[in-house]
């Protein structure tokens, strides 16, 4: 597996893990993180073997968001001229793309929060498919408290995950969202007593997803994302076109046989993606 400076990447059969491993720095997002994260996710997605990705962290804090060094670097924040502001915007778009990589992946991504999730962390988990947390894993849109607004996905994705009025309340006030309230609102799929229970619960969900035909899960994810951004009529047509392109009689027959024989299904991995210029 490649070595990354801002997290660890591991694989256990069809289940992969990205583990934020800078607990002494509250798992803040250093500059290398924004380059390494989409690279790791794209690599897993292209290989075709991963069926679920779990996003987790070490230490008492899931992530405190953007590393303070980014805000204290005068060159990174210079916007004295129109040309500088254009360059600033172009560079900032790569931050958005880092989390959009979770949506572009051919498999579901599960966030497992064992502690507080702040600022850029909220942007990150909002791009995941499922979210679970421990009872001490509160969340906060921190950008409001430091003189800026969230611009890496929170304001765009959160209103589709919870009532828009609540999303605005959290963004306007910069106050904490407790895991209990987050679960009631539907942002969290489940809340666990401690980190051990969280890992066991998330692993069980991941194993269940990984047991399904990869083409089915990939098509389902694509359909959900398309429906979020389009009308019902457009989404229905897209779903039927997608179904026709991904229909796999072998998977269907195997699923029925496995159910009848009370065994796990044996499904082929997704075909690896060969990108132009790659070896």
């Amino acid at each position: 597996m490649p070595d990354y400076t801002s997290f660890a990447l591991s694989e256990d059969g069809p289940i992969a893990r990205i583990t934020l491993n800078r607990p002494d720095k509250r798992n803040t997002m250093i500059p290398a993180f924004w380059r390494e994260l989409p690279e790791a996710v794209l690599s897993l997605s292209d290989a075709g073997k991963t069926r679920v990705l779990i996003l987790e962290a070490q230490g008492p804090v899931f992530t405190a968001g953007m590393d303070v060094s980014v805000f204290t670097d005068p060159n990174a924040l210079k916007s004295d001229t129109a040309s500088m502001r254009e360059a600033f915007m172009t560079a900032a778009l790569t931050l958005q793309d880092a989390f959009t990589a979770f949506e572009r992946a051919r498999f579901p991504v599960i966030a497992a929060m064992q502690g507080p999730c702040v600022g850029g962390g909220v942007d990150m988990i909002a791009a995941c498919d499922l979210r679970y947390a421990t009872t001490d894993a509160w969340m906060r849109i921190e950008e409001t408290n430091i003189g800026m607004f969230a611009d890496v996905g929170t304001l765009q994705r959160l209103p589709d995950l919870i009532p828009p009025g609540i999303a605005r309340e959290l963004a306007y006030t910069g106050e904490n969202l407790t895991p209990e309230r987050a679960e009631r609102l539907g942002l969290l799929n489940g809340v666990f007593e401690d980190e051990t229970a969280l890992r066991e619960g998330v692993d069980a969900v991941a194993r269940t997803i990984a047991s399904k035909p990869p083409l089915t899960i990939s098509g389902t994810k694509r359909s959900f994302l398309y429906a979020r951004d389009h009308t019902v009529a457009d989404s229905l047509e897209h779903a039927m076109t997608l179904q026709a392109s991904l229909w796999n009689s072998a998977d269907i027959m195997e699923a029925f046989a496995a159910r009848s024989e009370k065994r796990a299904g044996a499904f082929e991995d997704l075909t690896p993606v060969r990108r132009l210029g790659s070896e």
Side-chain angles (χ1 to χ4, degrees):
M1 299 297 296
D3 289 328
Y4 296 101
T5 60
S6 54
F7 55 79
L9 174 62
S10 60
E11 293 178 276
D12 181 10
I15 300 174
R17 296 179 189 275
I18 286 179
T19 306
L20 306 181
N21 60 353
R22 300 174 65 248
D24 56 322
K25 301 296 184 181
R26 300 186 300 167
N27 293 316
T28 50
M29 301 167 179
I30 58 177
F33 170 85
W34 303 96
R35 179 186 70 257
E36 292 178 343
L37 181 68
E39 177 186 309
V41 175
L42 178 64
S43 176
L44 291 172
S45 182
D46 281 359
K49 295 181 179 180
T50 297
R51 301 187 183 184
V52 187
L53 171 62
I54 297 173
L55 175 66
E56 59 184 15
Q58 296 176 353
V61 177
F62 179 69
T63 178
M66 188 79 78
D67 190 79
V68 68
S69 64
V70 175
F71 297 106
T72 56
D73 180 358
N75 294 320
L77 299 177
K78 287 192 94 172
S79 57
D80 299 341
T81 67
S83 181
M84 286 182 176
R85 290 191 289 274
E86 188 276 339
F88 176 93
M89 179 185 71
T90 301
L93 289 174
T94 63
L95 306 186
Q96 296 178 347
D97 290 342
F99 295 151
T100 300
F102 287 146
E103 293 183 342
R104 291 175 179 157
R106 298 193 285 170
F107 43 74
V109 181
I110 305 176
M113 295 171 280
Q114 88 298 352
C117 177
V118 179
V122 179
D123 294 303
M124 181 166 63
I125 65 165
C128 296
D129 294 272
L130 306 175
R131 288 156 291 276
Y132 297 86
T134 56
T135 54
D136 58 352
W138 50 267
M139 288 146 277
R140 184 170 68 226
I141 301 175
E142 183 68 2
E143 291 85 347
T144 306
N145 300 322
I146 58 173
M148 59 182 292
F149 66 87
D151 59 358
V152 192
T154 290
L155 304 186
Q156 293 69 39
R157 294 185 174 102
L158 198 60
D160 285 317
L161 301 173
I162 63 176
I166 303 298
R168 294 185 184 215
E169 171 200 320
L170 296 170
Y172 293 155
T173 64
E175 294 181 347
N176 293 355
L177 174 64
T178 65
E180 295 79 14
R181 189 185 186 195
E183 185 178 28
R184 289 199 306 270
L185 292 169
L187 180 61
L188 293 179
N189 295 81
V191 177
F192 296 89
E193 187 63 31
D194 54 36
E195 190 172 350
T196 299
L198 172 68
R199 187 178 182 106
E200 291 175 353
V202 169
D203 283 2
V205 173
R207 286 194 298 269
T208 298
I209 295 172
S211 72
K212 310 302 180 184
L215 270 178
T216 297
I217 298 300
S218 178
T220 299
K221 177 171 181 173
R222 290 175 187 269
S223 196
F224 269 128
L225 288 170
Y226 190 92
R228 181 194 64 184
D229 301 328
H230 296 79
T231 66
V232 172
D234 288 342
S235 299
L236 285 169
E237 183 174 355
H238 172 267
M240 196 50 64
T241 302
L242 187 64
Q243 182 76 286
S245 68
L246 298 183
W247 186 268
N248 189 335
S249 299
D251 278 353
I252 295 172
M253 296 302 294
E254 172 60 13
F256 276 108
R259 175 182 294 182
S260 174
E261 298 166 14
K262 295 181 173 52
R263 60 172 174 80
F267 305 107
E268 291 187 8
D269 292 333
L270 295 175
T271 300
V273 175
R274 304 299 184 189
R275 298 184 183 273
L276 293 177
S278 63
E279 296 182 359

